[in-house]
Amino acid sequence: MEIGQRMVATAVAVMSFAVFLGVVSADPDMLQDVCVADLASKVKVNGFPCKAAFNETDFFFDGLAKPGLTNNTLGSLVTAANVEKIPGLNTLGVSLSRIDYAPYGLNPPHTHPRATEIVFVLYGELHVGFITTGNVLVAKTIKAGEIFVFPRGLVHFQKNEQHTPAAVVAAFNSQLPGTQAIATALFAAKPTVPDDVLAKAFQIDAQLVEMIKAKVAPKS
Ligand SMILES: *[C@@H]1O[C@H](CO)[C@@H](O)[C@H](O)[C@H]1NC(C)=O
Ligand SMILES: *[C@@H]1O[C@H](CO)[C@@H](O)[C@H](O)[C@H]1NC(C)=O
């Protein structure tokens, strides 16, 4: 091959790979009908290894039927229906959660590194929003029967601004979207993030960092 031809071939290969990466931007595609997660397996793979035998119980979950208890500090509870609860979801690239909100409850700013989220309001009214990487807040108040979308990886929140409870069903294009709560990640990590890192990042003094750390325990 001429040098020119080789460069063209390389460029085409690089572009094809980029297109391939674009296609698998959510969970990877399945290669068989089912791969029911063997949650007890010691084998480490991307996802879970498949169980040899399975039945209908591996595809069933009734844990979202009733409201979760929201009598905690923030006044919200996320109940996940992901591969850890429904082994049959392994390799299928979807999952749900139910989120319940006490009056004025908050599901605090957090991200899902592996999934876009779409919420459907069961009842109540919520102020919801996400923040783009350009630091633009995209927010709206939504009520029963309405939907809002939180793009993958972006920081987002939901706040009940009514004196009555609220609930949503949330769908994800991942069997295990992962959740990183911003305040918890920064102020309740173990081992702890050094005070001087947080003091400089937030432009506050170390005493205030300590105060926040004392308050932001992992969500109870
Ligand atoms: C399904 O399989 C599980 C073990 O994985 C077993 O405990 C359960 O009894 C089975 N259920 C039915 C309805 O066969
Ligand atoms: C929340 O309410 C439940 C049931 O009423 C109770 O068992 C639990 O201790 C309460 N939790 C907190 C943190 O108050």
Side-chain angles (χ1 to χ4, degrees):
M1 260 198 279
E2 297 289 325
I3 287 176
Q5 278 177 309
R6 250 185 240 168
M7 279 169 62
V8 168
T10 306
V12 168
V14 167
M15 281 190 310
S16 311
F17 187 59
V19 167
F20 169 76
L21 284 181
V23 169
V24 293
S25 63
D27 283 7
D29 236 348
M30 57 215 266
L31 300 176
Q32 54 216 318
D33 284 358
V34 299
C35 171
V36 175
D38 183 353
L39 298 172
S41 173
K42 298 269 188 291
V43 179
K44 297 293 173 203
V45 296
N46 188 21
F48 297 95
C50 315
K51 276 206 287 198
F54 59 87
N55 62 34
E56 68 274 21
T57 63
D58 293 304
F59 296 86
F60 174 80
F61 185 61
D62 64 357
L64 304 193
K66 290 194 210 118
L69 287 176
T70 56
N71 56 339
N72 50 49
T73 316
L74 295 172
S76 74
L77 187 79
V78 179
T79 309
N82 58 36
V83 69
E84 290 172 340
K85 307 276 186 62
I86 310 172
L89 281 181
N90 194 36
T91 75
L92 301 187
V94 296
S95 60
L96 292 180
S97 283
R98 172 187 177 125
I99 314 170
D100 290 285
Y101 311 84
Y104 307 108
L106 171 71
N107 186 15
H110 62 279
T111 75
H112 303 293
R114 296 183 289 275
T116 288
E117 173 176 1
I118 175 166
V119 297
F120 175 81
V121 183
L122 295 174
Y123 51 83
E125 194 174 299
L126 298 158
H127 189 66
V128 305
F130 66 83
I131 300 139
T132 70
T133 58
N135 300 319
V136 175
L137 172 66
V138 180
K140 186 167 171 47
T141 297
I142 55 171
K143 58 182 194 304
E146 296 181 342
I147 279 173
F148 202 78
V149 175
F150 306 105
R152 184 165 76 140
L154 298 186
V155 175
H156 61 282
F157 61 87
Q158 301 107 26
K159 172 91 181 2
N160 184 359
E161 288 178 339
Q162 302 292 314
H163 63 280
T164 49
V168 305
V169 168
F172 302 90
N173 62 331
S174 170
Q175 65 179 29
L176 193 61
T179 298
Q180 192 158 44
I182 308 305
T184 313
L186 291 174
F187 292 94
K190 292 212 168 54
T192 177
V193 178
D195 284 2
D196 63 335
V197 170
L198 296 171
K200 204 166 176 82
F202 286 88
Q203 298 288 295
I204 55 179
D205 59 36
Q207 223 178 340
L208 190 48
V209 171
E210 281 297 317
M211 219 174 86
I212 300 172
K213 277 184 175 174
K215 289 189 181 209
V216 183
K219 208 176 157 190
S220 61

